[in-house]
Amino acid sequence: MKFFLDTADINEIKELASSGLVDGVTTNPSLVMKSGRKFLDVVKEICEIVPGPISAEVISTDHKTMLAEGRKLANLAKNVVVKVPLTPDGLRTCKALSDEGTRVNVTLCFSPAQALLAAKSGATYISPFVGRLDDIGTDGMQLIADIIQIYRSYDTIRTEVLVASVRHPIHVIQAAKMGADVATMPPNVLKMMFNHPLTDKGLAAFLADWAKTGQTIL
Ligand code: G3P
């Protein structure tokens, strides 16, 4: 399973990229706003830090302007993936960009029907938002299961399932058990995945016993 970071915070990206666990990055307009940075600058910088796929989202809603924005974003770096919303114009843009060889991440997916449309439009990634479905009392992970079942039923579908709106490690584990291709997570979720109280307790005990031996390794 690939791990993407869902953030436009350069410091967090640098810190976690050094772990070797980060395969890519996803951004969205809200995350860019939070970063306080200029969009094109921050995308270019992220692309230099992480060599994997970096999603950058168009902000227009009509096909013609989305296509122009998508082409501009794709030209920023080889590893840019253009992100478009799951609307009729967004999917038309997805098809056009995919036909040109640009990878596209279709975002704001909340139903299996939408995911099927994105696959037929040539999306490289579909981004179903599990946390936002949970927020309205719907089972977000069931959407992942449904999409995986549909996609795996057809050899012709190459679209990867990129689980988005991930709020905690349980989302990541459930997605991994279902065989989802990617989970994009806020930096704090990746950090939480390391934690277990028995690891801390066990390490403290090992170190205390080691100190009693009076030995060193180096
Ligand atoms: O990048 C899209 C998605 O991951 C947003 O997550 O937490 O704002 O619902 P969230």
Side-chain angles (χ1 to χ4, degrees):
M1 182 186 218
K2 285 170 275 191
F3 284 1
F4 289 1
L5 283 180
D6 198 27
T7 182
D9 184 319
I10 292 291
N11 291 331
E12 294 270 33
I13 292 169
K14 276 187 183 156
E15 179 196 334
L16 287 166
S18 67
S19 70
L21 294 168
V22 177
D23 302 298
V25 176
T26 50
T27 66
N28 64 36
S30 304
L31 293 170
V32 172
M33 182 272 293
K34 253 193 236 170
S35 77
R37 295 280 311 276
K38 286 191 101 177
F39 179 38
L40 301 186
D41 292 348
V42 83
V43 170
K44 273 197 263 187
E45 205 174 324
I46 296 170
C47 286
E48 282 164 17
I49 301 166
V50 176
I54 311 300
S55 290
E57 189 162 339
V58 300
I59 46 89
S60 292
T61 51
D62 68 284
H63 167 65
K64 198 175 158 208
T65 323
M66 277 175 161
L67 188 57
E69 288 176 354
R71 286 176 177 152
K72 181 166 180 174
L73 293 172
N75 278 331
L76 291 176
K78 275 191 182 148
N79 50 337
V80 165
V81 173
V82 176
K83 207 170 174 188
V84 301
L86 210 152
T87 61
D89 282 61
L91 291 189
R92 200 176 148 199
T93 306
C94 173
K95 178 85 177 76
L97 289 169
S98 302
D99 286 349
E100 291 173 8
T102 296
R103 291 176 295 173
V104 180
N105 175 359
V106 176
T107 189
L108 291 166
C109 172
F110 294 96
S111 79
Q114 290 179 320
L116 190 52
L117 293 177
K120 285 185 72 70
S121 304
T124 304
Y125 301 102
I126 183 68
S127 288
F129 280 30
V130 292
R132 291 192 195 185
L133 280 170
D134 291 351
D135 289 345
I136 60 159
T138 310
D139 182 0
M141 292 314 301
Q142 185 56 50
L143 173 60
I144 304 303
D146 290 344
I147 296 172
I148 289 174
Q149 184 188 350
I150 292 167
Y151 281 12
R152 302 277 150 86
S153 302
Y154 296 93
D155 289 344
T156 45
I157 295 182
R158 299 260 184 271
T159 306
E160 294 191 26
V161 179
L162 192 167
V163 181
S165 189
V166 162
R167 303 280 168 77
H168 43 66
I170 297 171
H171 275 150
V172 182
I173 296 313
Q174 288 174 330
K177 284 166 87 170
M178 291 175 187
D181 303 283
V182 190
T184 188
M185 58 195 100
N188 71 311
V189 173
L190 181 52
K191 289 177 185 172
M192 275 193 269
M193 289 181 73
F194 284 93
N195 298 338
H196 197 287
L198 290 180
T199 305
D200 299 338
K201 194 179 164 197
L203 182 59
F206 284 155
L207 293 180
D209 287 341
W210 178 257
K212 289 176 203 159
T213 72
Q215 300 179 48
T216 57
I217 294 176
L218 298 176

